Amino acid sequence: MYYWKNESPFFQITAIHSQSVNAVALSRGPVRRKTKEIEGRQDKDLLRRSKRGWMWRQFFLQEEYTGTEHQYIGKLHSDMDKGDGTVMYVLAGDGAGTIFVIDSNSGDLHATRSLDREEKPFYTLRAQVVNKKTGLPLEPETEFTVKLHDINDNEPKFDKEVYTASVPERSHIGTYVTQVTAQDADDEMFGYSAKLSYSISQGHPYFSVEPNTGIIRTALGPSDMDREQREHYQVVIEVKDMAGQKGGLTGTTTVNISLTDVNDNPPRFMQSIYQFSVPEITKVESSVGRIRAVDADVGRNAEMDYTVVGGDGLDVFDVSTDRNTQEGILSLKKPLDYEKKKSYTLQIQVQNTHPDPRFLSSDAKDMATIRVSVEDVNEPPHFEKISYILEVKEDAAVGTMIGSVSAVDPDIRRSPVKYSIDRHTDVDWIFGVYVGNGSIFLQRPLDREEFAWHNISVIATEFNNPEQTSRVPVYIRVLDVNDNPPMLASFYETFVCENAKAGQKIQTISAVDPDDPVGGHRFLFSLAPESSVRANFSLRDNGDNTAGIFTQRTGFGRMHKSTHLVAVVISDGHIPMQSSTGTGTLTIRVCTCDRDGNMEMCNAEALSSAAGLSTGALVAILLCILILLLIVVLFAALKRQKKKEPLIISKEDVRDNVVSYNDEGGGEEDTQAFDIGALRHPEVMEESKLRRDILPSESLYPPPPLRKTLVPSRENADVRNFINQRVQENDGNPTAPPYDSLATYAYEGNGSVAESLSSLGSMSSEGEQDYNYLSEWGPRFRKLADMYGGEDSDWDS
């Protein structure tokens, strides 16, 4: 037998025996019930199941307990407990020992602290009775649940802090807008703690909310919900638990509601009359001006269409809609002419592109008037046609009139016009035009086979204002004249077998003609008179611009005659008739053939002629050879040219200039200022030293023999030889400059037999000396000969 007690003030606890399936309701006090019949059946049970004295299903505990002592939950008692203190109650599971404690002797169950159902709604525990002395369990472990009893300690909360919704303007009363929802953490299965009720605290009288569902609807009629009057609304919704009763907890949220646009406003012009001015030279499809209508609606509902519905410019002007700005664009459909019409009046209509028949009728339109003034402009000449097509025969004589063009000044003053041809379109000056009347005539002969069409431009210019010009294309077609004879279509390699029989066809020929007759070509073929006499071959005209060549006899001897020439006369059937003979000569080779008529071998002459190159190919080969020869010659000429060095290399090399330094040396005995080793030892110098004032090059001619000069006898032969060597180099060098070159050799000599070369301090300087020998030293010493060789010298003074 098992006993237990629950002290919950709200619920009775049910104890269920392990073998019973019926729940028994217990009162608040201790309840005992002996089940002798069940025990009797257990004694007779063959399985000998272990006996369970009691079993708990669940306990209830109020949440948010505020008392200072442990909160009593209930009492556990077992039939094994005889009250002698030999049994002990043990608790395990969620929170056992911390949140929940049990008196091991009495079985009283307590909660040690306040619990929150929203944090954890129930706890699962296990209880067992054990022997105090041995610690062995007296009964199997039994599981039970402690559920927390909810109280209204949580206010309801909306899913969103701010809701956004929209509804079309002019909606009827009760139109659905949106739905708001709130949640309450309290137990909705217990009382009214989680029973919510919605109400509207801000947003009257435009909107309402259903208390149970939170659905927001419109509360006013279509006339009061006009987007053009007010577009945005802010509605505050309140939710309250305890079914909205007094004392319930509340929560709020904000709903921003916007009215969406419907097409309930027609477009209206901003003004009733529009005026524009346009030059008469404005091009077709150009914009003349813009008009604007306004629509209180937005987006697609504000799109509009403009239409020209009346006026005298209905066929001259057109209006379209700029989809970005919804403006009407007035454009030109036809050219304007101030001299013909100076102004136009138009009636313009505007209406919505997508009207809504619920709010607007199909007659919701607006009208405006447009007045367009045409401005006079000095226009260039206008041709009567946009282009001209003329025809002329190719055999027309120079000066033949082909046709004419005509242009006039469209302005009121009617300025005279002169004509000319744009020579960029007629670079060969084939055509001319009379300046005054625009007549086009021929200046050079034509050839249709070269150019069948000529496209030129004729320019018209005002006499009084040359800047005003216009041009027109003129297409001149050259008509064909039968001026070319027909010729063979190609070069035919024709052969006849030695064993050919009479009447055998050996070749089919055709012809071409560069002319282009109207009815097409019709060629006639025949043999020339010289080929008809004792002819070996005959010709048969097929009547389809082809002809066949046939043999006239049986057997041909290749060794007797290897080649036959057949002159064919080809003529056309047009007037004047043209025929050709020289270009229609066939060369027929005699060849050895097999039984089937296939060529096996021809004579060497025929083969060489057949394998020979055409005239065009030979000319091309010769031109290539000539070009290669020219390239080789130019390359050789460039290689022979040599770059010449400037005559004066050093800035210190001065010619025919007298430089005064006003510096006196140390005398003839001073040899420290220069090196005279070169004069004393000339043998160490190069035999042929190049000049520094000319480009070095090998002499093209051998040096001439040394001239015999009248030099005073000197025993110092080294100086004489040095000077003679220099003279020989200057006279024999053809690349020396044409001007005089003064070379100074500063060799005084110390105790020389030749005495001093200086005129200063020389003992013989006072006497007359013979300088005539200088003139025999060549043209380079002519300057010295003129200075010292004269009879009356200025130096003596």
Side-chain angles (χ1 to χ4, degrees), residues 368-384:
T369 301
I370 298 179
R371 295 174 181 172
V372 182
S373 299
V374 181
E375 299 177 352
D376 186 24
V377 177
N378 187 9
E379 300 176 79
H382 285 184
F383 283 94
E384 294 180 353

Side-chain angles (χ1 to χ4, degrees), residues 85-96:
T86 59
V87 298
M88 179 177 61
Y89 295 92
V90 179
L91 186 66
D94 294 341

